[in-house]
Amino acid sequence: MKSLNYTHLVIFFISLSVTTLNAQLHKSIITPNAGKLSSLINISEVSNIRSLQITGPLDARDFAYIRQMQKLEKLDLSNSTIKAYKGKGGTAYNDTDTTLYAANEIPQTAFFDLNSGSKCDSIKLIILPKSCTSIGMAAFESCDKLIEVKNIEQLLSISEMAFNNCSLLREFTLGAHLSYLGSQAFCRSGLQLIRFKCQELDGLDTSTFYFCSNLKQINIGTPLPTKFNITDGLFLALHADIEKIVVNIPRGTKNLFEKDLNWNIFKKFVEY
């Protein structure tokens, strides 16, 4: 009888431990107001959260708190909205009372703390808010375990160094609404596939895709070659095997791509 009771006790404590561990691994939060996430997640839990789902309004102060989650691998913001904020406590380097953070934008240096040098470098997947239209400067700088970013097709702007040094980021879609892509936006990223659905892009320079040496394929989803604000040389600093990169283009457009000063660096155009 004593042996049986002991066995039951051991099973109880194991079950309790597993339940506690699962609670630590995943957290679902509903935020009634922006800037209040720190009051909804105890500081003692921050270091154990692996998966976080947030529903409701957020601002730059909440991203500063998320940035402290050093084991966070999945962040689901699909049912969140990002509110504008002015003041201290956000993600910017040495922010002041007059620092502005735009609405519907992943704030600048959201996952890379320039003040301390720390970063949320365990994150592998982020699902952006459906209303998100912009990625701030260096928002995902050096997130070297980031593999996938979802809800990106509605983006209007991707700022400078947004995905700089994201070495495991394998593919990305530049959606139909995108009009601005900053310098070093994908510098030293692990991109193997880029999908162009946008008609025209501003903000580019030769460092936008600098050292994307793993690039293997580009898919063009527009009837004409995407126009860039750079005369030529956008892809000159890829440091990839240009001869082997396949560029899939609409049927009947090969001649246009071969004459374009940014696109004619490639040799393997495949019409579909």
Side-chain angles (χ1 to χ4, degrees):
M1 183 64 70
K2 287 183 178 179
S3 177
L4 185 61
N5 288 338
Y6 177 75
T7 301
H8 286 163
L9 191 61
V10 170
I11 293 173
F12 170 76
F13 279 113
I14 290 175
S15 300
L16 183 62
S17 298
V18 170
T19 302
T20 303
L21 180 60
N22 287 335
Q24 292 173 333
L25 293 179
H26 178 76
K27 197 87 173 173
S28 293
I29 297 292
I30 298 175
T31 55
N33 303 106
K36 301 298 183 183
L37 186 63
S38 61
S39 66
L40 301 172
I41 301 178
N42 192 287
I43 190 65
S44 63
E45 298 178 282
V46 167
S47 62
N48 294 314
I49 296 174
R50 300 285 180 90
S51 174
L52 178 62
Q53 181 182 42
I54 302 175
T55 300
L58 300 169
D59 66 27
R61 293 170 293 180
D62 300 308
F63 280 93
Y65 196 65
I66 293 170
R67 190 166 61 188
Q68 298 179 45
M69 301 177 186
Q70 296 300 306
K71 293 182 180 179
L72 184 65
E73 296 179 358
K74 177 182 178 181
L75 179 59
D76 183 354
L77 302 178
S78 55
N79 293 313
S80 299
T81 54
I82 302 173
K83 301 297 184 180
Y85 173 66
K86 178 181 178 180
K88 294 182 178 180
T91 58
Y93 177 67
N94 286 339
D95 59 354
T96 66
D97 292 332
T98 59
T99 302
L100 295 173
Y101 298 91
N104 299 320
E105 177 178 275
I106 302 296
Q108 58 179 291
T109 58
F111 297 92
F112 185 72
D113 188 350
L114 290 175
N115 292 297
S116 67
S118 64
K119 55 184 177 177
C120 187
D121 60 357
S122 59
I123 194 163
K124 297 178 180 179
L125 166 66
I126 181 167
I127 306 173
L128 301 181
K130 297 182 182 73
S131 57
C132 181
T133 57
S134 180
I135 306 293
M137 184 190 70
F140 295 96
E141 163 77 33
S142 297
C143 287
D144 51 17
K145 291 186 177 64
L146 182 65
I147 297 172
E148 186 175 9
V149 184
K150 292 185 176 181
N151 285 351
I152 56 177
E153 299 243 4
Q154 79 282 4
L155 291 175
L156 304 176
S157 172
I158 299 175
S159 296
E160 289 74 14
M161 301 186 293
F163 295 97
N164 186 36
N165 283 319
C166 291
S167 57
L168 291 184
L169 186 63
R170 294 292 183 248
E171 56 184 69
F172 204 93
T173 298
L174 303 175
H177 305 292
L178 191 72
S179 60
Y180 185 89
L181 184 62
S183 64
Q184 300 183 58
F186 292 96
C187 177
R188 296 185 184 275
S189 69
L191 286 178
Q192 295 180 2
L193 168 62
I194 306 172
R195 302 180 188 90
F196 281 89
K197 294 185 178 181
C198 44
Q199 298 282 351
E200 188 169 351
L201 283 174
D202 196 10
L204 303 141
D205 63 25
T206 54
S207 71
T208 299
F209 296 105
Y210 176 73
F211 234 102
C212 289
S213 55
N214 294 318
L215 189 64
K216 293 178 173 58
Q217 182 176 326
I218 298 174
N219 293 348
I220 306 298
T222 57
L224 296 173
T226 301
K227 294 180 181 179
F228 307 124
N229 74 334
I230 178 173
T231 305
D232 60 80
L234 175 61
F235 299 105
L236 286 177
L238 278 175
H239 291 270
D241 193 341
I242 295 293
E243 300 289 331
K244 293 183 179 180
I245 295 174
V246 176
V247 183
N248 294 305
I249 59 177
R251 187 173 300 279
T253 63
K254 186 176 181 181
N255 186 52
L256 295 174
F257 279 87
E258 288 178 337
K259 291 181 178 179
D260 189 287
L261 293 177
N262 278 298
W263 289 106
N264 65 8
I265 187 175
F266 301 107
K267 306 304 177 186
K268 296 184 73 172
F269 293 107
V270 178
E271 296 187 327
Y272 61 85

